[in-house]
Amino acid sequence: MRVPLSWLREYVDLPATETGRDVQAKLVSAGLEVETVEHLGADLKGPLVVGQVLTIEELEGFKKPIRFCTVDVGRANGTGEPQEIVCGARNFQVGDKVVVVLPGATLPGGFSIAARKTYGKTSHGMICSGDELGMGDDGSHGIIVLPPETEVGKDAIELLELVDEVLDIAVTANRGDCLSIRGVAREAAIAYGLPLRDPALLDVPGPNAFGYPVQVSDPLGCDRFTARTVTGLSPEARSPLWLQRRLQKVGMRPISLAVDVTNYVMMELGQPLHAYDRSLVQGTIGVRRAAEGEQIVTLDGVERKLHAEDLVITDERGPISLAGVMGGANTEIADHAETEGTTDVVIEAAHFDAVSIARTARRHKLSSEASRRFERGVDPQAAAAAAQRTVDLLVLLAGGTAEAGVTEVVAPSAPHTISVPADHPDKVAGVSYGRETVVRRLQEVGCDVYGQDELIVTVPSWRPDLQEINDLAEEVIRLEGYENLPSTLPRPPAGRGLTHRQRLHRRAGRALAGAGYVEAPNYPFVAEQVFDQLGLEADDPARRVVRLTNPLNDEEPALRTSLLPGLLGALRRNDGRGSHDLALFETGLVFLPRSEQRVAAVLPVDRRPTDAEIAELDAALPEQPRHVAVVLAGAREQAGWWGKGRPADWADAVEAGRLVAREAGAELVVRGGQYGPWHPGRCAEFVVVVDGAETVVGHAGELHPRVVKAFGLPARTSAMELDLDVLEAVGDDTPQAPAISTFPVATQDVALVVDKFVPHADVETALREGAGELLEGIRLFDVYENEEQLGDGKKSLAYALRFRAGDRTLTVDEASAARDAAVALAGERTGAVLRG
C-alpha cells in the first residue's frame, strides 16, 4: 500500500517538521512494515511552469515528425516573450495549456535543461510529459495537457504536487484495514497521540423504496449491498489534477472521471466500488452464484468460463460483473473521449465473503485491487459512506445529480464481542500494563470496552482480524511498543540438551567436513526407477518404499530408502556445471515400511496426548533410521609444485566409513563384499557385532560402470553409505584420552605372499590377533604382483608393524617374536608365507 504523506496529513495533523522517515519509524514501532519511503521530486529543480501553445510549425525532412512551437509562459522566463521550443509529441495543439521546463531547471534523474540547437532550431526548454516529470503515464502517452482554466506562468511543481513523500507499506494478510489511507491514518493518529478526522463520517441518507432494484440471492456471499444512482454526468468531464496525482502516487493510472472517483474512494476508505453505465444495465441487479459454464467478458477483455462457486453480479441478461474481483465489459463506463460518453451511472458498494472472493480470484488467476481488499477483510459498515462519498465527488466534479433513491440490502448480523480479563495482556507480555492502559489502547483501536476485572470488548467493524483474547492482547502490546518488552533469556532445565543421536549426527558431519567433504542435503523423494539404475536385485529390501498419497512431484512419489540417489544427482549437477573435483556427504533419514501396516491415530487437540497415544502414532509411521553417505569423483588431492596429486578412489570411500565409525566409538570390520551399485571387485562391506552376531551396516567402494552410465556420472565415481543408528547402538563414544608412552617404538616390516583372491582385510586381522597386545599399529604400504617372481595367481602384501610396551623398552627378540607370531597366524588362516 502506497501512502502519500500529503494525503495522510488531510486526516491527521502531523507536526510540520515530521518527515516521511519520522512517520515510517512511528508506524514501524506500531507494528506496520513500512518497506521504503520514496522521495518524489527530490532532485527536481525549477523553473517549471504552465505555458500556452501559441504557434506550431511542422518541420520537414526528418525521420520522425518534429514541431517547432512558441509557448507563452508569462513572466516566468524573465522577458514575457514567447518561448521557442522544439517538440516531437503530437497530442497537443494551438491554444492548449502545457507544462514547460525552462533552461536552468533539473528534471528527475539529474537531467539538466539548457538551450540547445536541434533539428535546425534552437530549443529554449522542453514541453514535458508525465514520465519526464516522474509522474508516470496518465493514459495519454504524450505531453501533459492541462485544463483550459489553468493560469499561464503558474508554478507547475506546486500545481502538479510533484514534491511529496510516499510510504510503501507491506500490509500483512490480517490487516486489510491498512489497505486504505483511512486505515493508515488511524494508525498514525494512535502512534502520535493525535485525533483522527475519519473520512467515513458522512451524513448518509437511509434506504428507501426509490432506489435501483437489487436482489441478493446469496446473503452468505454478500451480506451488504448498497446502490446509488447519479444522472446527468457531463461526458466531457475529466478528473481534476489533484485527483489524478493522488491516484498516480498510490500506483494507479487515471482512466476516466467515473472510474477514477471509484478508485479514489477505494484507496481513501478501503471499500472497493464499481460503477455501471445505467443505460447498459437491463432490469434488476442481482447477486448469486454462477451457473456452471456461464461466461462473462471482464474489463480486461478476457472471456471467462465461470465456476458454480463464483459469486456474480447479474441483470436480466446474466452476469455483468465478477463480484469483488472485476466488472464486466457489457456495462463498462464509456470514456470521456468517445462520441457518446456515459451520463448516468449506478454505484455499487457491497461487502462480500472473503473466502469466496479469494477462491474466485485464484481460480481465474485474476488478482485486482478490489479482490486484494476483500480477501483481507473490508469494513462492512463503510459501504454506505463510500457510496455517498462517490456520489458527492461525481456531483461536484461532473455536474451530475444524485437521485433520491437509496438501495441498501443488509443481512442481519451482531457485532463481535470478546470477554477478556483485564490483566491478560500483562500475562502474555510479562509486563504490568494495568487496566487503564489496556482499556485506553483498545479504545484507540476502535473497540467499545466495558467492565472492570473482566472486560467486555466489542470489536470495530474494520478489524475482522480481532477474533479472540490473544488478538486483543497483541493490540495492547504492539501499541505500547514491542521495543519496550523486557529481554528475558529462557532458563533450560539442567540435564537437557542434544540427544545422544543428535550429538553423533553432528560429530559425523563435522568429521566429514574436516576431511574435505561438503554437505549436500537433498529432498527425500525418489522415483522407483532409481533402483533399476542402482542395479538392485528384484527382491532387494531397499525396493520396498513408502509411497506418498499426495506427492509434490508425480515423477518422485516415494520416500527414499537410501541417501545415494540424491547425492549422485547432486554430484552429476555439479559436475555438469564445471566442478569436477567433488566430495559430497549427507546425513539424513531413510524411510522403511513396516511389515504390518497400521492406520495412524488422530491425536487430540484439546489436551496433551498421552505417551501411549504418541507411541501408537509412532508405531504407524515407517521406520526412519539415520544414514550417512558420501560420494567422490575427480581429484582427491590436487596436483601442484608439491607433487602430481591423486584421483579419488574406492579407498577414500572406505576411509570415510572408518572415520564415521571412529566418531561413534564403534569397532568396524571391513571386508570384501558385493552389493547393488558397487563394482563387485572394488566393494567393501562394513560389519559390526550386535548381540554376538555380525551385522552388515553399509558398503563402500567404486560404483559399477553400469551405474555410472545410468546416472551420467564421471568415470570411477566412488561412494559410501552407513547406518548411523546401528553404529550408535554398538559404539562407545566416551572420550578417551590418548596414552602416550615414554618408551621407544620397535618397527618390523613383513612382506607376505598370498593368493590374489585373499582380501587384505583378512590378512590384517590375522596379523593383529597374532601379534598380541604389543602391537601398536599396522599399515599396508605396498601391494606387488609379478608372476615370474611370485608365481601364477599370487600377490605380495607388505606391512609395517609398530610394537611398543607401556612399561619397558622392548628388546629385538620380543619384537621379532611378536612379528613371527603374527606371521604364523596369518599363514594358518590365509595361507600367507614370508616373501623371499
Side-chain angles (χ1 to χ4, degrees):
M1 176 68 191
R2 291 171 57 85
V3 180
L5 193 58
S6 58
W7 197 350
L8 191 65
R9 289 182 183 275
E10 280 200 8
Y11 310 126
V12 184
D13 289 326
L14 299 174
T17 56
E18 288 293 282
T19 66
R21 293 291 185 190
D22 298 329
V23 178
Q24 177 189 28
K26 285 284 189 180
L27 293 179
V28 168
S29 178
L32 293 186
E33 186 179 347
V34 184
E35 292 187 327
T36 60
V37 178
E38 183 180 352
H39 298 270
L40 302 181
D43 51 357
L44 178 63
K45 177 185 174 184
L48 186 73
V49 298
V50 175
Q52 184 173 21
V53 180
L54 300 178
T55 64
I56 298 177
E57 177 188 350
E58 302 288 344
L59 302 182
E60 305 292 340
F62 300 102
K63 293 182 179 179
K64 62 179 181 178
I66 298 297
R67 311 169 96 184
F68 181 65
C69 311
T70 59
V71 185
D72 178 13
V73 295
R75 302 293 301 178
N77 58 2
T79 65
E81 296 295 323
Q83 200 79 2
E84 297 179 338
I85 298 175
V86 175
C87 183
R90 314 292 298 176
N91 68 312
F92 65 95
Q93 56 191 1
V94 172
D96 281 346
K97 303 288 181 65
V98 294
V99 178
V100 178
V101 58
L102 300 176
T106 303
L107 294 182
F111 181 58
S112 298
I113 303 299
R116 66 190 183 95
K117 190 169 183 179
T118 178
Y119 297 103
K121 301 285 185 178
T122 300
S123 182
H124 298 273
M126 285 175 54
I127 301 175
C128 297
S129 68
D131 285 336
E132 290 166 339
L133 297 178
M135 297 168 54
D137 180 28
D138 62 356
S140 66
H141 304 289
I143 293 302
I144 301 171
V145 178
L146 300 172
E149 64 273 12
T150 310
E151 178 186 350
V152 172
K154 183 178 179 62
D155 184 2
I157 295 178
E158 179 182 350
L159 176 69
L160 299 177
E161 301 178 12
L162 296 178
V163 178
D164 202 350
E165 292 181 278
V166 179
L167 284 69
D168 194 351
I169 303 176
V171 180
T172 54
N174 66 317
R175 292 303 304 273
D177 61 303
C178 288
L179 286 173
S180 66
I181 304 296
R182 178 197 184 200
V184 177
R186 182 180 293 108
E187 292 295 318
I190 296 172
Y192 280 93
L194 297 171
L196 169 71
R197 290 188 292 274
D198 192 343
L201 294 180
L202 301 174
D203 291 331
V204 180
N208 54 52
F210 310 109
Y212 199 94
V214 174
Q215 182 179 359
V216 177
S217 302
D218 190 341
L220 295 179
C222 176
D223 57 7
R224 184 179 295 266
F225 194 105
T226 300
R228 300 289 298 275
T229 304
V230 181
T231 59
L233 300 178
S234 170
E236 299 301 322
R238 297 179 56 185
S239 301
L241 286 175
W242 64 265
L243 193 149
Q244 292 186 44
R245 287 297 293 134
R246 286 193 170 177
L247 289 179
Q248 289 172 333
K249 289 177 184 179
V250 298
M252 303 191 77
R253 182 173 67 86
I255 299 173
S256 64
L257 178 59
V259 175
D260 292 349
V261 167
T262 58
N263 286 337
Y264 177 85
V265 175
M266 175 180 66
M267 303 307 294
E268 182 181 54
L269 301 182
Q271 168 66 54
L273 303 107
H274 190 68
Y276 301 94
D277 189 327
R278 184 175 180 179
S279 65
L280 300 178
V281 180
Q282 298 181 11
T284 301
I285 290 178
V287 183
R288 61 170 173 82
R289 298 289 172 174
E292 189 69 40
E294 271 190 305
Q295 295 184 340
I296 183 176
V297 178
T298 46
L299 289 175
D300 57 359
V302 177
E303 183 175 345
R304 303 182 185 278
K305 187 176 181 179
L306 301 178
H307 188 275
E309 291 185 5
D310 291 335
L311 195 66
V312 292
I313 313 298
T314 64
D315 65 3
E316 291 180 352
R317 297 165 297 174
I320 60 174
S321 176
L322 204 52
V325 180
M326 185 173 285
N330 54 356
T331 56
E332 182 179 6
I333 298 292
D335 188 74
H336 63 81
E338 298 183 12
T339 55
E340 295 184 3
T342 298
T343 58
D344 301 339
V345 297
V346 178
I347 305 300
E348 164 213 313
H351 184 262
F352 301 111
D353 175 62
V355 174
S356 176
I357 300 304
R359 288 177 176 172
T360 296
R362 283 156 181 75
R363 188 179 299 119
H364 293 282
K365 297 180 175 61
L366 186 61
S367 178
S368 64
E369 293 288 347
S371 68
R372 287 182 61 219
R373 284 160 176 78
F374 280 122
E375 289 173 18
R376 289 162 174 78
V378 169
D379 180 5
Q381 302 293 335
Q388 182 64 44
R389 177 75 164 137
T390 305
V391 169
D392 292 343
L393 286 173
L394 288 176
V395 171
L396 174 67
L397 302 176
T401 301
E403 289 196 351
V406 177
T407 302
E408 191 164 0
V409 181
V410 181
S413 61
H416 182 49
T417 300
I418 304 172
S419 177
V420 54
D423 62 349
H424 182 69
D426 300 8
K427 295 178 180 178
V428 173
V431 176
S432 180
Y433 292 123
R435 178 187 178 280
E436 290 185 3
T437 299
V438 171
V439 171
R440 175 172 56 85
R441 288 303 190 183
L442 293 178
Q443 288 175 338
E444 287 176 345
V445 171
C447 299
D448 291 330
V449 185
Y450 303 95
Q452 292 298 318
D453 295 337
E454 191 74 17
L455 303 179
I456 306 301
V457 181
T458 301
V459 175
S461 58
W462 56 82
R463 291 299 302 274
D465 59 305
L466 302 181
Q467 294 293 322
E468 48 104 13
I469 61 175
N470 287 325
D471 296 331
L472 300 179
E474 182 182 2
E475 290 299 295
V476 174
I477 296 168
R478 76 174 181 88
L479 294 179
E480 283 295 304
Y482 292 120
E483 69 276 10
N484 296 324
L485 293 177
S487 298
T488 305
L489 293 175
R491 297 180 180 178
R496 300 282 179 87
L498 297 177
T499 65
H500 186 272
R501 188 187 196 204
Q502 290 169 330
R503 288 196 297 271
L504 174 58
H505 172 212
R506 293 194 179 187
R507 285 204 311 275
R510 283 195 295 265
L512 289 172
Y517 291 84
V518 176
E519 188 170 15
N522 294 282
Y523 290 117
F525 313 116
V526 295
E528 294 187 57
Q529 303 91 283
V530 76
F531 302 117
D532 295 329
Q533 294 176 296
L534 289 173
L536 300 185
E537 299 291 340
D539 58 349
D540 194 296
R543 285 183 175 270
R544 294 185 62 245
V545 295
V546 177
R547 293 179 180 82
L548 299 172
T549 303
N550 187 21
L552 296 178
N553 182 353
D554 291 337
E555 295 181 358
E556 295 179 331
L559 292 174
R560 65 190 179 191
T561 57
S562 167
L563 301 182
L564 288 183
L567 276 178
L568 294 177
L571 187 142
R572 179 185 65 247
R573 287 190 297 274
N574 282 276
D575 179 71
R577 293 169 183 169
S579 298
H580 303 302
D581 304 324
L582 296 162
L584 309 178
F585 84 93
E586 180 179 7
T587 56
L589 302 179
V590 299
F591 304 86
L592 309 177
R594 298 182 186 271
S595 56
E596 179 185 354
Q597 297 293 329
R598 299 186 185 181
V599 178
V602 178
L603 297 181
V605 296
D606 57 342
R607 58 176 174 82
R608 183 189 185 282
T610 65
D611 292 342
E613 288 171 332
I614 296 176
E616 183 181 357
L617 177 64
D618 287 340
L621 298 176
E623 295 181 16
Q624 301 175 51
R626 186 177 294 277
H627 282 201
V628 58
V630 305
V631 292
L632 305 98
R636 185 65 174 138
E637 295 177 2
Q638 294 291 338
W641 57 266
W642 52 84
K644 296 181 179 179
R646 69 174 183 84
D649 60 16
W650 61 268
D652 295 300
V654 173
E655 181 56 30
R658 286 196 173 108
L659 178 64
V660 173
R662 285 196 295 270
E663 291 297 323
E667 185 176 344
L668 194 66
V669 177
V670 181
R671 63 191 184 195
Q674 184 172 344
Y675 178 69
W678 281 278
H679 191 296
R682 297 167 188 161
C683 174
E685 183 178 78
F686 296 141
V687 176
V688 296
V689 177
V690 181
D691 297 330
E694 289 188 345
T695 301
V696 177
V697 294
H699 295 82
E702 183 181 315
L703 295 179
H704 198 287
R706 286 196 297 268
V707 175
V708 170
K709 181 178 180 180
F711 279 92
L713 304 173
R716 311 299 291 267
T717 296
S718 299
M720 179 278 294
E721 184 165 12
L722 263 174
D723 189 327
L724 261 181
D725 285 356
V726 177
L727 289 182
E728 178 194 358
V730 302
D732 178 11
D733 60 352
T734 304
Q736 299 289 335
I740 302 176
S741 176
T742 59
F743 298 97
V745 66
T747 303
Q748 298 275 354
D749 293 345
V750 295
L752 303 177
V753 178
V754 297
D755 293 330
K756 281 187 178 181
F757 64 83
V758 175
H760 143 68
D762 292 349
V763 178
E764 180 181 320
T765 300
L767 290 173
R768 284 184 181 276
E769 293 183 14
E773 59 184 17
L774 293 180
L775 182 66
E776 183 181 75
I778 182 172
R779 179 174 62 88
L780 174 68
F781 65 86
D782 183 55
V783 178
Y784 176 71
E785 296 181 9
N786 188 307
E787 292 186 2
E788 294 182 1
Q789 295 185 16
L790 303 178
D792 188 21
K794 299 291 185 178
K795 64 181 178 182
S796 170
L797 303 177
Y799 294 90
L801 307 179
R802 292 167 57 89
F803 299 99
R804 192 188 323 246
D807 57 350
R808 66 189 187 282
T809 299
L810 292 178
T811 64
V812 174
D813 292 339
E814 288 177 308
S816 298
R819 180 203 61 192
D820 294 341
V823 172
L825 187 58
E828 180 183 335
R829 290 188 178 177
T830 66
V833 296
L834 280 172
R835 180 179 168 189

